[in-house]
Amino acid sequence: MTEFDFVVVSNRGPFTLESRPGGVVEFRPAAGGLAPSLSGALAEEPMGSGSGVLWVASAFTEADRLYASAGAVATGQDTLKLRMVAVTPEIGRAAYDVIANGTLWFLHHGLFDHARRPCFDRVWHEAWEGYCQFNEAIADAVAEQAATGATVVVNDYHLALVGRYLAKSRPDLATAFFTHTAFCPPEDLAMVPDGPRLELMESMSCFGACGFHTSRWRDAFVRCASAVGVEAPATFVAPLGADPARLDEVAATVACRSRLERLEAELDGRTLLLRSDRVELSKNLIRGFLAFDELLEASPQWRGRLIFYARVYGSRESLPEYLAYRTEVEHVVARVNERWGESGYVPVVLDLEDDFEATVATLQRYDLLLVNPIRDGLNLVAMEGPAVNQRDGVLALSREAGAYDELADVAIGLNPFDVTGTAAAISSGLSMSLEERRVRAAELRRRARSRTPAHWLAEVRRAARVPGQRGPRAWGQAGD
Ligand code: F6P
């Protein structure tokens, strides 16, 4: 079995495999979020004398599952091999739906509606067992294929327990765990039952180092460890960057140019307010539409002249909360359109198609980009927008997004819970002088293009270490 010097691990891999007629299997790039960023960074990895990089990920589709027994498979990218890990559908659902997305995601983003949830009952405790088994299966695949002393970078809350299994089976490995989400404060972690809470913090502390997008989430993690009496491992801060080269490449395609032309025709000279997100509770779509409604009410001059384009695509639709949220989003949009629409003017365009060329076209064209998450690890859209925008567009950004820490002085900050305040932030952004727009947009663009996923990956790789070794600090580390 080939042994790899560098292994990256994430729940969702870079490709989803689809079976086509005639036994053909198609590798389709994964949409949105971490996978494309990590793929971009890995494409720049030098082959060196080793065997390249192994990406270990969870099998989602039937075709993924078929490939799981094939070990490390070629991906078409010279330096990269992929190893899919399949667990039973029951374990998969318990780990992904119940624990990762239904519990840890809600916990870290402050999304629980405390009168009803969380509810840690027998079913939940059984699901926790599934989460443990899933993490163990992923750790076993890594342990099987990592060379002696290899570096292993594990991503996100789906895989928080991998550290403890690896520390046991492969203590020679240099490991880092990177959390792309926010991290909850100890008061929220206290809701999790004692056993799982301790397991979670102890397991994260079994990695050589734990990394976060901002010092806010890192500090919360360290406080959580201390609250349960666990010694935190080395920690580091390394924000992910947009991928300007990839965005420029997409912007230059015929598909993207034709979408931009179509958009211009639709806008017909109107001002464009844009959001670009998954249909996701933490992204705070509904308050964004309510703010737009208040803006049109308070500022009649925008009626008929401002279009709110919401490029959003479905996410995690196996969870009832997400399905209900999507329905609620559709209702709110219908209400706003009914109230302010007129012949030839649809105020809110809800575009649910997952089409990256269309996303890049709208990012190039916006006058104001609204990014108002309730809480967000970083929010890459806040970087991608300014990186490709061509109209000195304004960024209205939630103070609860990790990206705000880097962009506070050039974006218009907003409180994501304050609908009236969000309407005011949009209004002040739209009435900003051209000169101020130009100056801010130039600085936003400079910052958004200065860091790439390759910078991020190099820093995470440098921070990885054998558990228990507290060697020199990695970039951006303020304290262990
Ligand atoms: O932001 C956290 C994250 O887990 C990303 O790593 C990922 O790209 C995104 O959420 C999407 O998650 P899912 O795989 O559930 O669609």
Side-chain angles (χ1 to χ4, degrees):
M1 185 168 288
T2 318
E3 295 196 320
F4 294 83
D5 295 322
F6 186 30
V7 182
V8 297
V9 192
S10 66
N11 180 52
R12 196 176 285 280
F15 303 100
T16 300
L17 276 53
E18 299 289 350
S19 297
R20 296 276 170 252
V24 176
V25 172
E26 190 190 336
F27 279 63
R28 294 183 52 199
L34 167 69
S37 297
L38 198 45
S39 294
L42 289 173
E44 291 178 34
E45 279 285 309
M47 182 72 187
S49 55
S51 50
V53 183
L54 178 69
W55 189 327
V56 176
S58 168
F60 275 85
T61 62
E62 268 316 301
D64 285 354
R65 300 177 72 78
L66 288 177
Y67 267 75
S69 51
V73 297
T75 60
Q77 201 167 306
D78 284 352
T79 50
L80 181 65
K81 295 240 168 26
L82 177 62
R83 164 95 189 244
M84 301 278 194
V85 177
V87 290
T88 65
E90 294 72 32
I91 291 177
R93 273 198 296 277
Y96 183 70
D97 289 342
V98 182
I99 304 299
N101 292 333
T103 305
L104 298 177
W105 181 272
F106 276 66
L107 183 71
H108 289 318
H109 293 92
L111 295 174
F112 283 126
D113 163 11
H114 287 186
R116 298 179 188 83
R117 295 198 48 215
C119 184
F120 298 105
D121 55 8
R122 188 180 49 76
V123 173
W124 187 89
H125 284 275
E126 282 167 15
W128 180 261
E129 288 308 312
Y131 179 70
C132 295
Q133 288 166 24
F134 167 69
N135 274 253
E136 189 169 15
I138 295 275
D140 286 350
V142 174
E144 243 173 68
Q145 299 204 270
T148 304
T151 298
V152 179
V153 171
V154 181
N155 294 277
D156 261 338
Y157 56 99
H158 317 87
L159 302 169
L161 307 187
V162 165
R164 91 170 159 194
Y165 298 111
L166 282 184
K168 208 161 163 210
S169 61
R170 293 294 307 271
D172 58 298
L173 300 176
T175 59
F177 181 67
F178 199 90
T179 296
H180 292 267
T181 64
F183 205 87
C184 68
E187 306 80 76
D188 287 357
L189 185 73
M191 288 186 285
V192 178
D194 294 358
R197 184 171 72 233
L198 193 59
E199 267 180 88
L200 187 67
M201 296 313 297
E202 276 182 352
S203 300
M204 285 182 72
S205 301
C206 286
F207 285 101
C210 281
F212 302 85
H213 286 308
T214 76
S215 51
R216 252 195 287 177
W217 316 137
R218 187 268 305 280
D219 295 349
F221 165 72
V222 172
R223 287 192 297 123
C224 281
S226 148
V228 295
V230 165
E231 190 189 353
T235 58
F236 63 100
V237 172
L240 187 59
D243 192 342
R246 170 170 169 259
L247 293 166
D248 292 345
E249 208 176 287
V250 174
T253 58
V254 175
C256 186
R257 290 212 301 265
S258 80
R259 281 161 178 78
L260 188 53
E261 273 171 31
R262 207 188 316 151
L263 177 65
E264 285 294 3
E266 266 176 59
L267 290 171
D268 196 18
R270 293 187 179 96
T271 302
L272 175 61
L273 164 63
L274 175 71
R275 77 170 308 133
S276 171
D277 285 302
R278 290 183 292 120
V279 180
E280 153 65 55
L281 289 81
S282 69
K283 303 295 180 188
N284 204 18
L285 274 68
I286 290 172
R287 289 192 190 86
F289 297 126
L290 295 178
F292 179 67
D293 183 55
E294 277 204 16
L295 174 74
L296 293 187
E297 182 163 37
S299 312
Q301 74 273 20
W302 286 117
R303 295 179 202 158
R305 282 189 50 217
L306 178 64
I307 290 198
F308 189 176
Y309 210 98
R311 273 214 46 79
V312 291
Y313 62 95
S315 175
R316 303 179 189 164
E317 292 185 342
S318 47
L319 263 71
E321 290 88 342
Y322 282 71
L323 286 177
Y325 191 67
R326 180 174 166 152
T327 306
E328 209 180 325
V329 163
E330 286 167 346
H331 281 151
V332 173
V333 168
R335 242 177 23 232
V336 176
N337 282 341
E338 201 171 301
R339 186 165 184 210
W340 302 112
E342 51 194 60
S343 160
Y345 173 58
V346 179
V348 183
V349 178
L350 187 63
D351 183 350
L352 291 154
E353 203 186 333
D354 185 4
D355 174 345
F356 194 57
E357 282 80 9
T359 299
V360 173
T362 50
L363 290 176
Q364 289 179 287
R365 174 58 180 77
Y366 69 78
D367 295 290
L368 190 142
L369 178 64
L370 176 65
V371 181
N372 66 325
I374 287 172
R375 201 184 280 169
D376 208 333
L378 181 74
N379 198 295
L380 212 46
V381 175
M383 296 286 175
E384 290 174 338
V388 290
N389 182 258
Q390 297 176 338
R391 290 174 65 90
D392 292 342
V394 177
L395 174 66
L397 180 60
S398 166
R399 297 190 191 105
E400 297 304 318
Y404 186 75
D405 294 8
E406 291 177 70
L407 304 175
D409 56 329
V410 273
I412 296 190
L414 60 88
N415 167 355
F417 299 99
D418 181 358
V419 169
T420 307
T422 301
I426 297 171
S427 172
S428 82
L430 292 175
S431 47
M432 196 180 270
S433 74
L434 290 180
E435 179 55 12
E436 189 176 353
R437 270 178 75 146
R438 194 187 57 73
V439 172
R440 285 189 188 231
E443 182 56 19
L444 275 167
R445 184 179 172 81
R446 190 191 65 74
R447 290 189 207 170
R449 296 182 79 91
S450 67
R451 271 179 72 75
T452 66
H455 290 119
W456 168 80
L457 185 62
E459 285 158 11
V460 179
R461 207 172 167 174
R462 225 168 33 236
R465 62 193 80 181
V466 170
Q469 274 188 3
R470 286 193 165 241
R473 286 176 180 179
W475 177 88
Q477 257 180 272
D480 287 349

